[in-house]
Every structure is written in structure tokens, then in C-alpha cells.
Amino acid sequence: EYGDDIDLCLRLLRVRSKDSDPLEGAGKQLERMMKWCEEYLPTLDMERIDRERRFRKAFWCGHDKVGRPVFVVRASRNDPSQSSTEDAIMHTVWLFEQKINAELSVEKGRTNFITIMDLEDAGWANFDRKGFQEMSRVLQDAYPERQACTLIINAPWVFKMIW
């Protein structure tokens, strides 16, 4: 469940506010989102999710000062040679669905979360550009306005130089 219908509509309208017709854009995104939910969510495979969970590369960890849940991603734990992009996305979607159903709703006063991206000990071997792009697309399309911000910590000097 995606919480209060009004909250979902408002989030979609905010996402599409720059479109020439925000109402039409929000409607189309809602259709795509509902189709994705109908097709994808029933395919969540706990065996694949459990395999992905053993790496502990993404997990929920408490709340920030304003009460938003904190989602932690440890980039150094990602090994594209040991897990597929599909499995990583499935694991992340499962984590998000668990948190949304348990905690994120208008009634509970929280509709979004923050992400901490920990780059400590991460190297080029840990980064999967295609996987990152696909994960970003899923988050933008299926979970609009859920992520309040991303904090990057322990970035190596190369990251700082490029950024």
C-alpha cells in the first residue's frame, strides 16, 4: 500500500510540476507506477532477497533528528560479480515496501526517508553504473518524493576531486 491517496497524488503533482500539463503528467506516472506494482511486486522472490541480504550492503538504521527513517547503503559491500542488478533492485524494493507499510504514512507524520551512502573502502570494482542507473529509475518512478535527501560520507579523494 502506498499510504494516503491524497499524499500520493500530491507527491506525483510535485514531481510533475514542471511539465506543461502537470495533471496529465501525474496521471500518466500514476498509471505506470500502478502497472509496475501489479507486475513487479508479486515477483519478489524471498530466496533471492535473502541471498542479497547476506551482503548487508543496504539496510534501515534508526531515524534522523526529525524522525525520518535512515536508509544506509554501504558501497564497499557491493560486488557486481556476485549479485545481479535485478537481485539488488529486488532487495531494495523489498526493504522499501517493508518500511512504507510499517512506518511511512501521513497519519504517522512521515512520508519520506533519508539515505546515507557510505563510500568507505569502496573502489571501482564496487560500482555498477548500469545498476545505479536502473536503481535510480525504479526509485524515481515507483517511489516519487519518498527520498528526502542523500548524504555521502567517507568519500575518497577521487570522488571529491570529480564532484
Side-chain angles (χ1 to χ4, degrees):
E1 209 44 51
Y2 281 84
D4 188 85
D5 290 340
I6 293 171
D7 176 58
L8 174 59
C9 291
L10 289 174
R11 284 188 285 118
L12 289 170
L13 285 169
R14 278 193 301 269
V15 167
R16 295 292 168 196
S17 65
K18 303 246 188 299
D19 289 2
S20 59
D21 185 352
L23 196 55
E24 182 181 339
K28 286 180 181 178
Q29 184 166 353
L30 179 62
E31 283 178 28
R32 285 191 309 270
M33 185 176 147
M34 298 314 259
K35 184 176 186 240
W36 179 84
C37 288
E38 288 172 8
E39 292 173 358
Y40 188 79
L41 293 181
T43 68
L44 293 179
D45 179 346
M46 284 311 295
E47 187 176 312
R48 290 169 68 186
I49 290 167
D50 285 340
R51 229 181 8 247
E52 197 67 20
R53 285 173 63 188
R54 78 174 189 258
F55 295 113
R56 295 264 314 144
K57 58 185 169 184
F59 52 90
W60 293 104
C61 185
H63 298 83
D64 69 1
K65 288 184 178 183
V66 296
R68 296 176 298 207
V70 176
F71 187 66
V72 177
V73 177
R74 299 191 63 204
S76 65
R77 301 271 177 110
N78 186 45
D79 184 351
S81 69
Q82 291 188 12
S83 91
S84 71
T85 297
E86 280 182 23
D87 287 354
I89 290 172
M90 187 178 291
H91 177 242
T92 302
V93 166
W94 179 79
L95 285 168
F96 284 3
E97 289 297 318
Q98 298 296 311
K99 188 57 74 172
I100 287 168
N101 290 332
E103 255 187 76
L104 298 179
S105 70
V106 173
E107 294 82 31
K108 295 177 182 166
R110 290 185 293 269
T111 59
N112 56 22
F113 60 88
I114 68 165
T115 299
I116 296 176
M117 176 79 69
D118 185 357
L119 300 181
E120 183 176 29
D121 297 327
W124 290 115
N126 302 109
F127 289 98
D128 175 11
R129 192 174 130 246
K130 180 184 166 230
F132 182 77
Q133 289 172 334
E134 182 64 20
M135 183 76 73
S136 296
R137 187 194 60 74
V138 168
L139 296 180
Q140 288 173 5
D141 291 350
Y143 301 98
E145 293 277 307
R146 286 289 190 187
Q147 186 166 326
C149 67
T150 298
L151 306 171
I152 298 173
I153 62 172
N154 299 316
W157 68 270
V158 171
F159 183 87
K160 294 173 189 172
M161 186 175 76
I162 294 170
W163 196 260

